Structures are given as structure tokens and as C-alpha cells.
Amino acid sequence: MSALFSPLTLRGLTLRNRIGVAPMCQYSAVDGQANDWHLVHLGAFATGGVGLVISEATAVLPEGRISPADLGIWSDAHVPMLRRITDFIHAQGAVAGIQLAHAGRKASTRRPWDGGGMVSEADGGWPVLGPSATPFAADYPVPHVMSGADITAVIEAFASGARRALAAGFKVAEVHAAHGYLLNEFLSPLTNDRRDDYGGSFENRIRLTCEVAAAVRAVWPDEAPLFVRISATEWANGGWSLEDSVQLAVRLAALGVDLIDSSSGGNVAHQQIDVRPGYQVPFAARIRRDAHVPTAAVGLITEAAQAEAIVANGEADLVLLARELLRHPRWALEAAHALGATGDWPSQYLRARLRPS
């Protein structure tokens, strides 16, 4: 039996296999609203046989968007179209998840194909927030240092976003604390130089992430899993480390977090990443082993045998793919064939089902 195609149960939810879609920003929303692009984009992965489809980073506040074209969940008006998408995903036998996010100092930027960099307020941008007043890079906006009231508002926005996500039909919630966005900025000693209860010591720097996770867990159903995505290392001297990630994972698990989605980098422009196939898998394996919490592995996982080995060897409980699924939306069905497992082909596509050789 294939380990990759064995079911995974977290709380009261069972995924049909261990393959998931990692959040991938589409920069295709207007005023935070999902549209037909998102339906077709996410729906294709569900028909392609994956177990879990996680939406792109979905902003809990308008100023928490990476770009003006990001998805949002700060308004009840966002719920109906998202519900249409989750209904379709679930009808295909997959599970819909949502990544709740706030971009912090990396907000108010142009879409990648528009060149990136800051969007000025005159061109539709907005003031950005962060733990400290240091911009991500020279062409990024300078953040306003968050007050206590700002922090409270963000925590409440994550909880409200989770309530709307539930109304929209999502069955998994993921808190985005990676890639240099707001929560990651608070975690890192390289980007958090505060001298209050949210800066300085490790305990203070993890406080906001823990408070957000607790707030989301409080409104998220007991039977529904909660994930947190972290950057397990910053790839920069003096920054957040894998050892820090293990300690954070222990704290988050105690708060009711069910899985740590183990990515890396993105918080500082001077990072030096050692990119190679499966380069982030050891982070998931270490956190799983030492924090005793389920993990997801991500990053240049492209081959069926590679993904199978990750799960079979106990390095992670779930494998999340991104760019490889953009290239091959039915990767899971092809992987099932390669591994001799049974893939969940839609009835409409059975005529094309791969047969054992």
C-alpha cells in the first residue's frame, strides 16, 4: 500500500490522501473578491485527485493584502463566492482549506508581473504596518510601528476571518506565519526590535503568533483542523532558527494547532537559500520528531517516488505541492498510477484513466 495515498485523519477530518495544494497567490481578485479564475484554478486541483486544496493567502484586513489584487475575507461580502468554490472542491472528494494572512510590511506592493515594489497611496496603495519601522527592501514601503490597539485589531481580524471562512465552507484553516509577512516579522529578531511585550525575548516575539492561533482555535470547530505555516529558518545569520521553530511548534500544539506547515525564508532580502530538490523536507522532519506534532513538507517536491518516501519514512504527514501542480494539475492521479495506488478519478474522466502497466 502506498503511504502517500493512505488517508490522513486530523481531529474529525479525514483527507483521502497525503497530497495537498500549497497556497499560491493568484493576484486576480478585485476588492478581495474571489471570481471564476479562483473557481477554475482551485477546482482543477480537486478534480486532479489531491486530498487538500488550500487557498492563497487571504487577507483578514484590507491593509493586510500583499497587493491590491489579493483575496480577502474581511467582509461578509466575500463569503458567497468562496462558498461556491468550497462546494465544488468538496463535491470532488477533496477538502477545502484557507490560509488566513496579513502581509505586514510586505503589503501594498505590485503584482509580480507588474514589476513588484511599492504601490503608492496615490496609485491605490495604503499605509503598511509592522513590528518595527524597517522596510523589507528599498522599494518597499516603510511600515508604521504597530500600537497595542493595532495588535488587538489584528488578532480580532484573524478570528473574524476564521468565522467567515467557516461560513464559506472551509474545513481547514491555516494561519500564515511565514515568508516575511506580519506574524513572521514579529517572530524574527532581525525584524522585531520592539521593547514591549511583543519584542525582545523569544517568549515576547512568539506572543502574537500564539495569540492569533489561540483566537482562531477559539472560533474554529473542535472537529476541524488548524494549521500554522512557518518559515522554519530565515537563511540569515542571527535570525529565526530551526531550534526556535521546534520550540514554537510545541507551544502551538499546546494551543490546539494540529499541523505545522514547514516552509522557510522570505523575511529578509539578504537571505541565502540552499535550494535543491526537497531542501525544506528536513525542517518538517525535525519539527515532527522533536515537537511531536504532525507536519507538512513543501519545496521542490516533484516526483511521485520522492513524495512517497517523505511520508513512508516519517519525515512529514502531508506533502504540499505548488509549482509542480501548476504544471501538472492532475499530478496526484499520475502519481497514483506510478505508485500502483488507486487514484480518485472524476467519473467524467474515467475514459482517460491510466491502467496498470
Side-chain angles (χ1 to χ4, degrees):
M1 179 179 291
S2 164
L4 187 65
F5 284 88
S6 64
L8 174 63
T9 298
L10 297 167
R11 293 188 180 249
L13 180 71
T14 298
L15 304 178
R16 62 185 174 185
N17 57 48
R18 309 298 184 97
I19 304 166
V21 181
M24 291 180 279
C25 288
Q26 297 299 291
Y27 305 106
S28 298
V30 176
D31 295 328
Q33 285 281 6
N35 53 49
D36 286 348
W37 175 266
H38 301 93
L39 172 63
V40 174
H41 166 69
L42 297 171
F45 302 132
T47 62
V50 302
L52 175 65
V53 180
I54 307 178
S55 76
E56 66 191 79
T58 306
V60 298
L61 288 168
E63 62 269 25
R65 290 173 292 171
I66 303 166
S67 81
D70 283 22
L71 276 187
I73 198 156
W74 64 81
S75 167
D76 291 346
H78 295 137
V79 170
M81 186 60 188
L82 291 174
R83 183 77 201 208
R84 183 181 172 200
I85 294 169
T86 62
D87 283 348
F88 181 84
I89 290 170
H90 295 147
Q92 314 314 310
V95 169
I98 185 169
Q99 187 182 69
L100 302 171
H102 191 298
R105 70 176 186 162
K106 293 176 80 173
S108 192
T109 57
R110 297 185 185 90
R111 297 179 299 185
W113 57 82
D114 291 332
M118 178 176 63
V119 177
S120 69
E121 293 185 49
D123 291 330
W126 54 87
V128 305
L129 299 173
S132 305
T134 305
F136 174 72
D139 58 344
Y140 276 67
V142 176
H144 295 270
V145 178
M146 292 178 70
S147 66
D150 292 330
I151 290 171
T152 298
V154 163
I155 296 168
E156 293 173 349
F158 270 94
S160 296
R163 291 189 190 95
R164 293 189 183 98
L166 184 62
F170 290 99
K171 296 183 179 180
V172 172
E174 176 171 274
V175 171
H176 197 355
H179 300 161
Y181 301 121
L182 183 65
L183 301 186
N184 191 185
E185 294 163 19
F186 271 83
L187 291 173
S188 171
L190 298 180
T191 50
N192 181 349
D193 60 11
R194 301 176 71 93
R195 293 295 179 264
D196 61 4
D197 289 345
Y198 290 90
S201 68
F202 174 83
E203 295 292 337
N204 285 354
R205 286 183 283 110
I206 70 170
R207 190 180 307 278
L208 180 57
T209 297
C210 290
E211 290 180 347
V212 166
V216 173
R217 181 76 270 175
V219 302
W220 201 239
D222 287 343
E223 68 274 12
L226 173 60
F227 297 2
V228 175
R229 170 166 268 201
I230 65 170
S231 284
T233 180
E234 290 198 78
W235 301 100
N237 290 334
W240 182 264
S241 69
L242 180 54
E243 289 71 25
D244 292 330
S245 294
V246 170
Q247 292 185 56
L248 175 62
V250 170
R251 309 297 178 85
L252 292 173
L255 293 170
V257 171
D258 301 290
L259 181 141
I260 302 298
D261 179 356
S262 307
S263 189
S264 69
N267 191 45
V268 291
H270 63 276
Q271 65 187 12
Q272 297 292 320
I273 302 180
D274 181 16
V275 178
R276 61 190 186 281
Y279 70 105
Q280 295 177 141
V281 174
F283 306 145
R286 171 73 182 281
I287 292 168
R288 185 178 190 268
R289 185 193 72 201
D290 291 358
H292 307 290
V293 61
T295 59
V298 301
L300 286 182
I301 301 169
T302 59
E303 302 295 332
Q306 177 192 17
E308 173 74 13
I310 290 167
V311 178
N313 295 338
E315 294 176 286
D317 301 270
L318 183 65
V319 173
L320 300 180
L321 281 70
R323 290 174 177 85
E324 188 63 17
L325 282 172
L326 295 182
R327 292 184 283 264
H328 303 288
R330 296 185 178 87
W331 184 93
L333 297 176
E334 296 175 0
H337 174 71
L339 297 170
T342 301
D344 288 324
W345 284 75
S347 297
Q348 296 91 332
Y349 292 171
L350 285 176
R351 74 192 77 170
R353 182 168 55 185
L354 300 168
R355 305 292 182 180
S357 45

